[in-house]
Coordinates of all heavy atoms in Angstrom, one line a residue:
M1 N 2.9 10.2 3.3 CA 2.9 9.3 2.2 C 3.6 8.0 2.4 O 4.6 7.9 3.1 CB 3.5 10.0 1.0 CG 3.5 9.2 -0.3 SD 3.8 10.2 -1.7 CE 3.3 9.1 -2.9
A2 N 3.0 7.0 1.9 CA 3.6 5.6 2.0 C 5.1 5.7 1.6 O 5.5 6.3 0.6 CB 2.9 4.6 1.2
S3 N 6.0 5.1 2.4 CA 7.4 5.1 2.2 C 8.0 3.7 2.4 O 7.4 2.9 3.1 CB 8.1 6.1 3.1 OG 8.0 5.7 4.4
L4 N 9.2 3.5 1.9 CA 9.9 2.3 2.2 C 10.1 2.1 3.6 O 9.9 1.0 4.2 CB 11.2 2.3 1.4 CG 12.1 1.0 1.5 CD1 11.3 -0.2 1.1 CD2 13.4 1.1 0.8
E5 N 10.5 3.1 4.4 CA 10.7 3.0 5.8 C 9.5 2.7 6.5 O 9.5 1.8 7.5 CB 11.3 4.3 6.3 CG 12.7 4.7 5.8 CD 12.8 5.1 4.4 OE1 11.8 5.7 3.9 OE2 13.8 4.9 3.7
G6 N 8.4 3.3 6.1 CA 7.1 2.9 6.7 C 6.7 1.5 6.5 O 6.2 0.8 7.4
F7 N 6.9 1.0 5.3 CA 6.6 -0.4 4.9 C 7.4 -1.3 5.7 O 6.9 -2.3 6.3 CB 6.8 -0.6 3.4 CG 6.6 -2.0 2.9 CD1 5.6 -2.8 3.4 CD2 7.4 -2.5 2.0 CE1 5.4 -4.1 3.0 CE2 7.2 -3.8 1.5 CZ 6.2 -4.6 2.0
K8 N 8.7 -1.0 5.9 CA 9.6 -1.9 6.7 C 9.1 -1.9 8.1 O 9.2 -3.0 8.8 CB 11.0 -1.4 6.6 CG 11.7 -1.6 5.3 CD 13.0 -0.9 5.2 CE 14.1 -1.6 4.7 NZ 15.4 -0.8 4.7
A9 N 8.7 -0.8 8.7 CA 8.2 -0.8 10.0 C 6.9 -1.6 10.2 O 6.6 -2.2 11.2 CB 8.0 0.7 10.5
H10 N 6.1 -1.6 9.1 CA 4.7 -2.2 9.2 C 4.9 -3.7 9.0 O 4.2 -4.5 9.7 CB 3.8 -1.6 8.1 CG 2.6 -2.4 7.9 ND1 1.5 -2.2 8.6 CD2 2.3 -3.4 7.0 CE1 0.5 -3.0 8.2 NE2 1.0 -3.8 7.2
A11 N 5.7 -4.1 8.0 CA 5.7 -5.5 7.6 C 6.5 -6.4 8.6 O 7.5 -6.0 9.2 CB 6.4 -5.6 6.2
V12 N 6.1 -7.6 8.8 CA 6.8 -8.6 9.5 C 7.4 -9.5 8.4 O 6.6 -10.4 7.8 CB 5.9 -9.4 10.5 CG1 6.7 -10.5 11.1 CG2 5.3 -8.5 11.5
L13 N 8.6 -9.3 8.0 CA 9.2 -10.0 6.9 C 9.8 -11.3 7.3 O 10.6 -11.4 8.3 CB 10.2 -9.1 6.2 CG 9.7 -7.8 5.8 CD1 10.8 -6.8 5.3 CD2 8.7 -8.0 4.7
D14 N 9.6 -12.4 6.5 CA 10.0 -13.7 6.9 C 11.3 -14.1 6.1 O 11.6 -15.3 6.0 CB 8.9 -14.7 6.6 CG 8.5 -14.8 5.2 OD1 9.0 -14.0 4.4 OD2 7.7 -15.7 4.9
G15 N 12.0 -13.2 5.5 CA 13.2 -13.5 4.7 C 14.0 -12.3 4.5 O 13.8 -11.2 5.1
E16 N 15.1 -12.5 3.8 CA 16.0 -11.4 3.5 C 15.5 -10.7 2.2 O 15.4 -11.4 1.2 CB 17.4 -12.0 3.3 CG 18.0 -12.6 4.5 CD 18.3 -11.6 5.6 OE1 18.7 -10.4 5.3 OE2 18.0 -11.9 6.8
F17 N 15.3 -9.5 2.3 CA 14.8 -8.7 1.2 C 15.7 -7.5 1.0 O 16.0 -6.8 2.0 CB 13.3 -8.2 1.3 CG 12.4 -9.3 1.4 CD1 11.9 -9.8 2.6 CD2 11.9 -9.9 0.2 CE1 11.0 -10.9 2.6 CE2 10.9 -10.9 0.2 CZ 10.5 -11.4 1.4
T18 N 16.0 -7.1 -0.2 CA 16.7 -5.9 -0.5 C 15.7 -4.7 -0.5 O 14.5 -4.9 -0.6 CB 17.5 -5.9 -1.8 OG1 16.5 -5.9 -2.9 CG2 18.4 -7.1 -1.9
D19 N 16.2 -3.5 -0.3 CA 15.4 -2.3 -0.4 C 14.7 -2.3 -1.8 O 13.6 -1.8 -1.9 CB 16.2 -1.1 -0.1 CG 16.4 -0.9 1.4 OD1 15.9 -1.7 2.2 OD2 17.2 0.1 1.7
Q20 N 15.4 -2.6 -2.8 CA 14.9 -2.6 -4.1 C 13.7 -3.6 -4.3 O 12.7 -3.2 -4.9 CB 15.9 -3.0 -5.2 CG 17.0 -1.9 -5.4 CD 18.0 -2.3 -6.4 OE1 18.5 -3.5 -6.3 NE2 18.5 -1.4 -7.2
Q21 N 13.8 -4.8 -3.7 CA 12.7 -5.7 -3.7 C 11.5 -5.1 -3.0 O 10.3 -5.2 -3.5 CB 13.1 -7.0 -3.1 CG 14.1 -7.8 -4.0 CD 14.6 -9.0 -3.2 OE1 15.0 -8.9 -2.1 NE2 14.7 -10.1 -3.9
L22 N 11.7 -4.6 -1.8 CA 10.6 -4.1 -1.0 C 10.0 -2.9 -1.7 O 8.7 -2.7 -1.7 CB 11.1 -3.7 0.4 CG 11.6 -4.9 1.2 CD1 12.1 -4.4 2.6 CD2 10.4 -5.9 1.5
Q23 N 10.8 -2.0 -2.3 CA 10.2 -0.9 -3.0 C 9.4 -1.3 -4.2 O 8.3 -0.7 -4.5 CB 11.4 0.0 -3.5 CG 10.9 1.3 -4.1 CD 10.2 2.2 -3.1 OE1 10.8 2.5 -2.1 NE2 9.0 2.6 -3.3
L24 N 9.7 -2.4 -4.8 CA 8.9 -3.0 -5.9 C 7.6 -3.4 -5.4 O 6.5 -3.1 -6.0 CB 9.7 -4.2 -6.5 CG 8.9 -4.9 -7.7 CD1 8.9 -4.0 -8.9 CD2 9.7 -6.2 -8.1
Y25 N 7.5 -4.1 -4.3 CA 6.2 -4.5 -3.7 C 5.4 -3.2 -3.3 O 4.2 -3.2 -3.6 CB 6.4 -5.3 -2.5 CG 6.9 -6.7 -2.8 CD1 8.1 -7.1 -2.2 CD2 6.3 -7.6 -3.6 CE1 8.7 -8.4 -2.4 CE2 6.8 -8.8 -3.9 CZ 8.0 -9.2 -3.3 OH 8.5 -10.5 -3.6
L26 N 6.0 -2.2 -2.8 CA 5.3 -1.0 -2.4 C 4.8 -0.3 -3.6 O 3.7 0.2 -3.6 CB 6.2 -0.1 -1.5 CG 5.6 1.1 -1.0 CD1 4.3 0.8 -0.1 CD2 6.6 1.9 -0.1
D27 N 5.6 -0.1 -4.6 CA 5.2 0.5 -5.9 C 4.0 -0.2 -6.5 O 3.1 0.4 -7.0 CB 6.4 0.6 -6.8 CG 7.5 1.6 -6.4 OD1 7.2 2.4 -5.5 OD2 8.6 1.5 -7.0
A28 N 4.1 -1.5 -6.5 CA 3.0 -2.3 -7.1 C 1.7 -2.1 -6.3 O 0.6 -1.9 -6.9 CB 3.3 -3.8 -7.1
A29 N 1.8 -2.0 -5.0 CA 0.6 -1.7 -4.1 C 0.1 -0.4 -4.4 O -1.2 -0.2 -4.5 CB 1.0 -1.9 -2.6
M30 N 0.9 0.6 -4.5 CA 0.5 2.0 -4.8 C -0.1 2.0 -6.2 O -1.1 2.8 -6.5 CB 1.6 3.0 -4.6 CG 2.0 3.1 -3.2 SD 3.5 4.0 -2.9 CE 3.1 5.6 -3.3
G31 N 0.4 1.3 -7.1 CA -0.2 1.1 -8.5 C -1.6 0.5 -8.4 O -2.5 1.0 -9.2
Y32 N -1.8 -0.5 -7.6 CA -3.1 -1.1 -7.4 C -4.1 0.0 -6.9 O -5.2 0.1 -7.4 CB -3.0 -2.2 -6.4 CG -4.3 -2.9 -6.2 CD1 -4.7 -4.0 -7.0 CD2 -5.2 -2.6 -5.2 CE1 -5.9 -4.6 -6.8 CE2 -6.4 -3.2 -5.0 CZ -6.8 -4.2 -5.8 OH -8.0 -4.9 -5.7
L33 N -3.7 0.8 -5.9 CA -4.5 1.8 -5.4 C -4.9 2.8 -6.5 O -6.0 3.3 -6.6 CB -3.9 2.5 -4.2 CG -3.8 1.6 -2.9 CD1 -3.0 2.3 -1.9 CD2 -5.2 1.3 -2.4
A34 N -3.9 3.2 -7.3 CA -4.1 4.2 -8.3 C -5.1 3.6 -9.4 O -6.0 4.4 -9.8 CB -2.8 4.6 -9.0
A35 N -4.9 2.4 -9.7 CA -5.9 1.7 -10.6 C -7.3 1.6 -10.1 O -8.2 1.5 -10.8 CB -5.4 0.3 -11.0
S36 N -7.4 1.7 -8.7 CA -8.7 1.7 -8.1 C -9.2 3.1 -7.8 O -10.1 3.3 -7.0 CB -8.5 1.0 -6.7 OG -8.1 -0.4 -6.9
E37 N -8.6 4.1 -8.5 CA -9.0 5.5 -8.4 C -8.7 6.1 -7.1 O -9.5 7.0 -6.6 CB -10.4 5.7 -8.9 CG -10.7 5.2 -10.3 CD -12.2 5.3 -10.7 OE1 -13.0 6.0 -10.0 OE2 -12.5 4.7 -11.7
V38 N -7.7 5.6 -6.4 CA -7.2 6.2 -5.1 C -5.8 6.7 -5.4 O -4.9 6.0 -5.4 CB -7.2 5.2 -4.0 CG1 -6.7 5.8 -2.7 CG2 -8.6 4.6 -3.8
A39 N -5.7 8.1 -5.5 CA -4.4 8.7 -5.7 C -3.7 8.8 -4.4 O -4.3 8.9 -3.4 CB -4.7 10.1 -6.3
A40 N -2.4 8.8 -4.5 CA -1.6 9.0 -3.3 C -1.7 10.5 -2.9 O -1.8 11.4 -3.8 CB -0.1 8.7 -3.6
P41 N -1.9 10.8 -1.6 CA -2.0 12.2 -1.2 C -0.8 13.0 -1.5 O 0.3 12.5 -1.3 CB -2.3 12.1 0.3 CG -1.8 10.8 0.7 CD -1.9 9.9 -0.5
S42 N -0.9 14.2 -1.9 CA 0.2 15.1 -2.0 C 0.6 15.5 -0.6 O -0.1 15.3 0.4 CB -0.2 16.3 -2.8 OG -1.1 17.1 -2.1
P43 N 1.8 16.1 -0.4 CA 2.2 16.5 0.9 C 1.2 17.5 1.6 O 0.9 17.4 2.8 CB 3.6 17.2 0.7 CG 4.1 16.5 -0.5 CD 2.9 16.2 -1.4
S44 N 0.6 18.4 0.8 CA -0.3 19.4 1.3 C -1.6 18.7 1.7 O -2.3 19.0 2.7 CB -0.6 20.5 0.4 OG -1.1 20.1 -0.8
E45 N -2.1 17.7 0.9 CA -3.3 16.9 1.2 C -3.0 16.1 2.5 O -3.9 16.0 3.3 CB -3.7 16.0 0.0 CG -4.2 16.8 -1.2 CD -4.4 15.9 -2.4 OE1 -3.6 15.0 -2.6 OE2 -5.4 16.2 -3.1
A46 N -1.9 15.5 2.6 CA -1.6 14.7 3.8 C -1.6 15.6 5.0 O -2.1 15.1 6.1 CB -0.2 14.0 3.6
R47 N -1.1 16.8 4.9 CA -1.1 17.7 6.1 C -2.6 18.1 6.4 O -2.9 18.2 7.6 CB -0.3 18.9 5.8 CG 1.2 18.7 6.0 CD 2.0 20.0 5.9 NE 1.8 20.8 4.7 CZ 2.5 20.5 3.6 NH1 3.4 19.6 3.5 NH2 2.3 21.3 2.5
A48 N -3.4 18.4 5.4 CA -4.7 18.8 5.6 C -5.7 17.7 6.1 O -6.6 17.9 6.8 CB -5.3 19.4 4.3
M49 N -5.3 16.4 5.7 CA -6.2 15.3 6.0 C -5.3 14.1 6.5 O -5.2 13.1 5.9 CB -7.0 14.8 4.8 CG -7.9 15.8 4.2 SD -8.8 15.3 2.7 CE -7.6 15.7 1.5
P50 N -4.7 14.3 7.7 CA -3.7 13.3 8.2 C -4.4 11.9 8.4 O -3.7 10.9 8.2 CB -3.2 13.9 9.5 CG -4.2 14.9 9.9 CD -4.8 15.4 8.7
L51 N -5.6 11.9 8.9 CA -6.2 10.5 9.1 C -6.5 9.8 7.8 O -6.2 8.6 7.7 CB -7.5 10.7 9.9 CG -7.3 11.2 11.3 CD1 -8.7 11.4 12.0 CD2 -6.4 10.4 12.1
A52 N -6.9 10.5 6.8 CA -7.2 9.9 5.5 C -5.8 9.5 4.9 O -5.7 8.4 4.3 CB -7.9 10.8 4.6
A53 N -4.8 10.3 5.0 CA -3.5 10.0 4.5 C -2.9 8.7 5.2 O -2.3 7.8 4.6 CB -2.5 11.1 4.7
S54 N -3.2 8.6 6.5 CA -2.8 7.4 7.2 C -3.5 6.1 6.7 O -2.9 5.0 6.6 CB -3.0 7.5 8.7 OG -2.2 8.5 9.3
L55 N -4.8 6.3 6.4 CA -5.5 5.2 5.8 C -4.9 4.8 4.4 O -4.8 3.6 4.1 CB -7.0 5.6 5.6 CG -8.0 5.3 6.7 CD1 -9.4 5.8 6.3 CD2 -8.0 3.9 7.1
Y56 N -4.5 5.7 3.6 CA -3.9 5.4 2.4 C -2.6 4.6 2.6 O -2.4 3.6 2.0 CB -3.5 6.7 1.6 CG -2.8 6.4 0.3 CD1 -3.4 6.1 -0.9 CD2 -1.4 6.3 0.3 CE1 -2.7 5.8 -2.0 CE2 -0.7 5.9 -0.8 CZ -1.4 5.7 -2.0 OH -0.7 5.3 -3.1
D57 N -1.8 5.1 3.6 CA -0.5 4.4 3.9 C -0.8 2.9 4.3 O -0.2 2.0 3.9 CB 0.2 5.1 5.0 CG 0.8 6.4 4.5 OD1 0.7 6.8 3.3 OD2 1.3 7.2 5.4
L58 N -1.8 2.8 5.2 CA -2.2 1.5 5.7 C -2.6 0.5 4.6 O -2.1 -0.6 4.5 CB -3.3 1.5 6.7 CG -3.8 0.2 7.3 CD1 -2.7 -0.5 8.0 CD2 -5.0 0.4 8.2
A59 N -3.4 1.0 3.6 CA -3.8 0.2 2.5 C -2.6 -0.2 1.7 O -2.5 -1.3 1.3 CB -4.8 1.0 1.7
A60 N -1.7 0.8 1.4 CA -0.5 0.5 0.6 C 0.3 -0.6 1.3 O 0.8 -1.5 0.6 CB 0.3 1.7 0.3
Y61 N 0.5 -0.4 2.6 CA 1.4 -1.4 3.3 C 0.7 -2.8 3.4 O 1.4 -3.8 3.3 CB 1.7 -0.9 4.7 CG 2.5 0.4 4.7 CD1 2.3 1.3 5.8 CD2 3.3 0.8 3.7 CE1 3.0 2.5 5.9 CE2 4.0 2.0 3.8 CZ 3.9 2.8 4.8 OH 4.6 4.0 4.9
Q62 N -0.6 -2.8 3.6 CA -1.3 -4.1 3.6 C -1.2 -4.8 2.3 O -0.9 -6.0 2.3 CB -2.8 -3.9 4.0 CG -3.0 -3.5 5.4 CD -2.8 -4.7 6.4 OE1 -1.7 -4.9 6.8 NE2 -3.9 -5.4 6.6
I63 N -1.4 -4.1 1.2 CA -1.3 -4.7 -0.1 C 0.1 -5.2 -0.4 O 0.4 -6.3 -0.9 CB -1.8 -3.8 -1.2 CG1 -3.3 -3.5 -1.1 CG2 -1.5 -4.4 -2.6 CD1 -3.8 -2.4 -1.9
A64 N 1.1 -4.3 -0.1 CA 2.5 -4.7 -0.3 C 2.9 -5.9 0.5 O 3.6 -6.8 0.0 CB 3.4 -3.5 0.0
T65 N 2.5 -6.0 1.7 CA 2.8 -7.1 2.5 C 2.1 -8.4 2.0 O 2.7 -9.5 1.9 CB 2.3 -6.9 4.0 OG1 3.0 -5.7 4.5 CG2 2.6 -8.1 4.9
H66 N 0.9 -8.2 1.5 CA 0.2 -9.3 0.9 C 1.0 -9.9 -0.4 O 1.2 -11.1 -0.5 CB -1.2 -8.9 0.5 CG -2.1 -10.0 0.0 ND1 -2.7 -10.8 0.8 CD2 -2.5 -10.3 -1.3 CE1 -3.5 -11.7 0.1 NE2 -3.3 -11.4 -1.2
Y67 N 1.4 -8.9 -1.2 CA 2.2 -9.3 -2.4 C 3.5 -10.1 -1.9 O 3.9 -11.1 -2.5 CB 2.6 -8.1 -3.2 CG 1.6 -7.5 -4.0 CD1 1.7 -6.1 -4.4 CD2 0.4 -8.1 -4.4 CE1 0.7 -5.5 -5.2 CE2 -0.6 -7.5 -5.2 CZ -0.4 -6.2 -5.6 OH -1.3 -5.6 -6.3
C68 N 4.2 -9.5 -1.0 CA 5.4 -10.1 -0.5 C 5.2 -11.5 0.1 O 6.0 -12.4 -0.2 CB 6.0 -9.1 0.6 SG 7.7 -9.5 1.1
D69 N 4.2 -11.6 0.9 CA 3.9 -12.9 1.5 C 3.5 -14.0 0.5 O 3.7 -15.2 0.8 CB 2.8 -12.8 2.6 CG 3.2 -12.1 3.8 OD1 4.4 -11.9 4.0 OD2 2.3 -11.7 4.6
R70 N 2.9 -13.6 -0.6 CA 2.4 -14.5 -1.6 C 3.3 -14.6 -2.8 O 2.8 -15.1 -3.9 CB 1.0 -14.2 -1.9 CG 0.1 -14.7 -0.8 CD -1.2 -13.9 -0.8 NE -2.1 -14.3 0.3 CZ -1.9 -14.0 1.6 NH1 -0.9 -13.2 1.9 NH2 -2.7 -14.4 2.6
R71 N 4.5 -14.1 -2.8 CA 5.4 -14.2 -3.9 C 5.5 -15.6 -4.4 O 5.6 -16.5 -3.5 CB 6.7 -13.5 -3.6 CG 7.5 -14.3 -2.6 CD 8.7 -13.4 -2.0 NE 9.3 -14.1 -1.0 CZ 8.9 -14.2 0.3 NH1 7.8 -13.6 0.6 NH2 9.5 -14.9 1.2
G72 N 5.5 -15.8 -5.6 CA 5.7 -17.2 -6.2 C 4.5 -18.0 -6.2 O 4.5 -19.1 -6.8
M73 N 3.4 -17.6 -5.6 CA 2.1 -18.4 -5.7 C 1.5 -18.2 -7.1 O 1.5 -17.1 -7.6 CB 1.1 -17.9 -4.6 CG 1.5 -18.4 -3.3 SD 0.2 -18.0 -2.1 CE 0.9 -18.7 -0.6
V74 N 0.9 -19.2 -7.6 CA 0.3 -19.1 -8.9 C -1.3 -19.1 -8.7 O -1.8 -19.9 -7.9 CB 0.7 -20.3 -9.8 CG1 0.0 -20.3 -11.1 CG2 2.2 -20.3 -10.0
G75 N -2.0 -18.3 -9.5 CA -3.4 -18.3 -9.5 C -4.0 -17.5 -8.3 O -5.2 -17.5 -8.2
D76 N -3.3 -16.9 -7.5 CA -3.8 -16.1 -6.4 C -4.2 -14.7 -6.8 O -3.4 -14.1 -7.5 CB -2.7 -16.1 -5.3 CG -3.2 -15.5 -4.0 OD1 -4.4 -15.6 -3.6 OD2 -2.4 -14.9 -3.3
N77 N -5.3 -14.3 -6.4 CA -5.7 -12.9 -6.7 C -5.0 -12.1 -5.6 O -5.4 -12.1 -4.4 CB -7.2 -12.7 -6.6 CG -7.7 -11.4 -7.0 OD1 -6.9 -10.4 -7.0 ND2 -9.0 -11.2 -7.3
P78 N -4.0 -11.3 -5.9 CA -3.1 -10.8 -4.9 C -3.6 -9.7 -4.0 O -3.0 -9.4 -3.0 CB -1.9 -10.3 -5.7 CG -2.4 -10.1 -7.1 CD -3.5 -11.1 -7.3
S79 N -4.7 -9.0 -4.4 CA -5.1 -7.9 -3.5 C -6.5 -8.0 -3.0 O -6.9 -7.4 -2.0 CB -4.9 -6.6 -4.3 OG -3.6 -6.3 -4.5
A80 N -7.4 -8.7 -3.7 CA -8.8 -8.7 -3.4 C -9.1 -9.2 -2.0 O -10.1 -8.8 -1.4 CB -9.6 -9.6 -4.4
E81 N -8.3 -10.1 -1.5 CA -8.6 -10.6 -0.2 C -7.8 -10.0 1.0 O -7.9 -10.5 2.1 CB -8.3 -12.1 -0.2 CG -6.9 -12.5 -0.5 CD -6.7 -13.9 -0.9 OE1 -7.5 -14.4 -1.8 OE2 -5.8 -14.6 -0.4
V82 N -7.2 -8.9 0.8 CA -6.4 -8.3 1.8 C -7.4 -7.6 2.8 O -8.3 -6.8 2.4 CB -5.5 -7.2 1.3 CG1 -4.7 -6.5 2.4 CG2 -4.5 -7.8 0.2
F83 N -7.3 -8.0 4.1 CA -8.3 -7.6 5.1 C -8.4 -6.1 5.1 O -7.4 -5.3 5.3 CB -7.8 -8.1 6.5 CG -8.8 -7.6 7.6 CD1 -10.0 -8.2 7.7 CD2 -8.4 -6.6 8.4 CE1 -10.8 -7.8 8.7 CE2 -9.2 -6.1 9.4 CZ -10.5 -6.7 9.5
G84 N -9.6 -5.6 4.9 CA -9.9 -4.2 5.1 C -9.6 -3.2 4.0 O -10.0 -2.1 4.0
V85 N -8.8 -3.7 3.0 CA -8.4 -2.8 1.9 C -9.5 -2.3 1.1 O -9.6 -1.1 0.7 CB -7.3 -3.5 1.1 CG1 -7.0 -2.7 -0.2 CG2 -6.0 -3.6 1.9
Q86 N -10.5 -3.2 0.7 CA -11.6 -2.7 -0.1 C -12.4 -1.6 0.6 O -12.8 -0.6 -0.1 CB -12.5 -3.9 -0.6 CG -11.8 -4.8 -1.5 CD -11.3 -4.1 -2.8 OE1 -11.9 -3.3 -3.4 NE2 -10.1 -4.6 -3.2
G87 N -12.6 -1.7 1.8 CA -13.3 -0.7 2.6 C -12.5 0.6 2.6 O -13.1 1.7 2.4
I88 N -11.2 0.6 2.7 CA -10.4 1.8 2.7 C -10.5 2.4 1.3 O -10.6 3.6 1.1 CB -8.9 1.5 3.1 CG1 -8.8 1.0 4.5 CG2 -8.0 2.7 2.8 CD1 -7.5 0.5 5.0
I89 N -10.4 1.6 0.2 CA -10.5 2.1 -1.1 C -11.8 2.8 -1.3 O -11.9 4.0 -1.9 CB -10.4 1.0 -2.2 CG1 -8.9 0.5 -2.2 CG2 -10.9 1.4 -3.5 CD1 -8.7 -0.7 -3.0
H90 N -12.9 2.3 -0.8 CA -14.2 3.0 -0.9 C -14.2 4.3 -0.2 O -14.8 5.3 -0.6 CB -15.4 2.1 -0.4 CG -15.6 0.9 -1.3 ND1 -16.1 1.0 -2.6 CD2 -15.5 -0.4 -1.0 CE1 -16.2 -0.2 -3.1 NE2 -15.9 -1.0 -2.2
Q91 N -13.6 4.4 1.0 CA -13.5 5.6 1.8 C -12.6 6.7 1.1 O -12.9 7.9 1.2 CB -12.9 5.3 3.2 CG -13.9 4.5 4.0 CD -13.2 4.3 5.4 OE1 -12.7 5.2 6.0 NE2 -13.3 3.1 5.8
L92 N -11.6 6.2 0.4 CA -10.6 7.2 -0.1 C -10.8 7.5 -1.6 O -10.2 8.5 -2.1 CB -9.2 6.7 0.1 CG -8.7 6.5 1.5 CD1 -7.3 6.0 1.5 CD2 -8.8 7.8 2.3
K93 N -11.6 6.8 -2.3 CA -11.8 7.1 -3.8 C -12.2 8.5 -4.0 O -13.2 9.0 -3.5 CB -12.9 6.1 -4.3 CG -12.9 6.1 -5.8 CD -13.8 5.1 -6.4 CE -13.2 3.7 -6.3 NZ -13.9 2.7 -7.1
G94 N -11.4 9.2 -4.8 CA -11.7 10.6 -5.1 C -11.3 11.6 -4.0 O -11.5 12.8 -4.3
K95 N -10.8 11.2 -2.9 CA -10.5 12.1 -1.8 C -9.2 12.9 -2.1 O -9.1 14.1 -1.8 CB -10.3 11.4 -0.5 CG -10.1 12.3 0.7 CD -10.2 11.6 2.0 CE -11.6 11.3 2.5 NZ -12.4 12.4 2.9
F96 N -8.2 12.3 -2.7 CA -7.0 13.0 -3.0 C -6.8 13.2 -4.5 O -7.2 12.4 -5.3 CB -5.8 12.1 -2.5 CG -5.8 11.8 -1.0 CD1 -5.8 10.5 -0.6 CD2 -5.8 12.8 -0.1 CE1 -5.8 10.2 0.7 CE2 -5.8 12.6 1.2 CZ -5.8 11.2 1.7
T97 N -6.1 14.3 -4.9 CA -5.8 14.5 -6.3 C -4.4 14.1 -6.6 O -4.1 13.9 -7.8 CB -6.0 16.0 -6.6 OG1 -5.1 16.8 -5.9 CG2 -7.4 16.5 -6.3
G98 N -3.6 14.1 -5.6 CA -2.2 13.7 -5.8 C -1.3 14.9 -6.2 O -0.1 14.8 -6.3
G99 N -1.9 16.0 -6.4 CA -1.1 17.2 -6.8 C -1.2 18.3 -5.8 O -2.1 18.3 -4.9
D100 N -0.3 19.2 -5.8 CA -0.4 20.4 -4.9 C -1.1 21.6 -5.5 O -1.0 21.9 -6.6 CB 1.1 20.8 -4.4 CG 1.5 19.9 -3.3 OD1 0.7 19.5 -2.5 OD2 2.7 19.8 -3.1

């Protein structure tokens, strides 16, 4: 499952960020996926479908990085233009229930 540690390993950060700030971006990204009908995989789902779980993590990290990089911009659609995310959403929609 997407984690703060995973996000920190994925992102190339251009400034000083607290863990709380980074967690906020990650939570927002996971919220975007949930609103797109892509639930976070439960631990058992992640074990049963590790490649799909990795795709979920990648999408969450890509969106969170996008939010972080564009903080303070006005009028920007923060997730629609993230490379590859819409394709991942189509692949994962309905795949996970998020429960055990």
Side-chain angles (χ1 to χ4, degrees):
M1 175 164 197
S3 67
L4 180 59
E5 293 75 27
F7 176 39
K8 288 167 134 179
H10 170 84
V12 177
L13 303 171
D14 63 353
E16 296 293 321
F17 296 96
T18 66
D19 284 354
Q20 288 177 320
Q21 289 169 318
L22 295 176
Q23 188 66 56
L24 180 66
Y25 292 121
L26 183 57
D27 290 346
M30 293 169 67
Y32 181 88
L33 290 171
S36 299
E37 300 177 14
V38 177
S42 69
S44 62
E45 290 173 324
R47 283 189 300 276
M49 298 178 275
L51 296 177
S54 293
L55 272 178
Y56 176 89
D57 292 353
L58 178 62
Y61 298 152
Q62 288 287 90
I63 294 168
T65 300
H66 188 79
Y67 286 159
C68 191
D69 288 346
R70 284 157 182 76
R71 66 194 175 281
M73 289 186 176
V74 177
D76 188 29
N77 186 344
S79 294
E81 60 196 49
V82 181
F83 177 76
V85 168
Q86 291 303 321
I88 293 172
I89 287 171
H90 290 299
Q91 290 179 48
L92 296 181
K93 193 175 280 193
K95 187 169 281 290
F96 302 121
T97 64
D100 273 332

